[in-house]
Amino acid sequence: MRVREMISTHPHVQGSTADALLRCIEECYACAQTCTSCADACMGEDMVKDLTQCIRLNLDCADICAATGAMASRRSGRNVEVLRATIEACAAACRACGEECQSHADMHEHCRICAEACRSCEQACREALPQVH
């Protein structure tokens, strides 16, 4: 990803980047892609009906991760209260999705991979919050 390269060139940033927030952006976009892929893989499983909750949480997590990545990428203007709430919601969605996927990880490799991505994104969100002010 070119997040650091792109954001560091923004006129309002003037070369000063918040590393934890940049990692959060990267993790959010990676998690969104992974959750979307996991939901699709779950729909391809023979036991798809048993994976309904997993699919729902995958799709919810993918949506909030993509939105968080987009909002955190913006440097013009300020919307700190909403950005903080979105990052917190993203961390909560990642925790819920990660736990659900982990419960299927022994049977489905895609769920194991997704649980890992969710944990990583949740951690990145929590580490980014102090840089959002």
Side-chain angles (χ1 to χ4, degrees):
M1 292 192 125
R2 296 185 174 194
V3 172
R4 178 177 312 282
E5 180 182 4
M6 193 66 203
I7 289 178
S8 69
T9 66
H10 193 288
H12 295 164
V13 173
Q14 299 174 345
S16 175
T17 59
D19 291 342
L21 189 57
L22 295 179
R23 181 173 167 261
C24 177
I25 294 166
E26 291 172 345
E27 291 289 341
C28 282
Y29 283 128
C31 192
Q33 185 280 323
T34 302
C35 286
T36 300
S37 293
C38 189
D40 188 62
C42 285
M43 287 189 286
E45 295 289 350
D46 290 337
M47 57 182 289
V48 68
K49 188 172 183 173
D50 296 334
L51 296 169
T52 301
Q53 183 64 10
C54 192
I55 294 165
R56 168 61 191 258
L57 293 178
N58 281 157
L59 296 175
D60 287 352
C61 192
D63 287 346
I64 192 72
C65 283
T68 302
M71 289 178 63
S73 295
R74 298 179 189 130
R75 292 296 183 263
S76 295
R78 294 180 50 101
N79 198 1
V80 173
E81 184 180 326
V82 173
L83 179 57
R84 287 186 64 80
T86 304
I87 291 172
E88 289 170 354
C90 187
C94 287
R95 181 186 39 73
C97 186
E99 288 173 0
E100 180 67 23
C101 279
Q102 189 61 49
S103 73
H104 304 287
D106 289 343
M107 295 187 330
H108 306 293
E109 180 66 4
H110 53 85
C111 285
R112 185 197 62 75
I113 293 166
C114 191
E116 208 172 89
C118 288
R119 282 191 297 272
S120 184
C121 189
E122 177 186 6
Q123 180 180 352
C125 285
R126 298 205 188 285
E127 290 171 2
L129 278 170
Q131 292 187 346
V132 179
H133 42 79

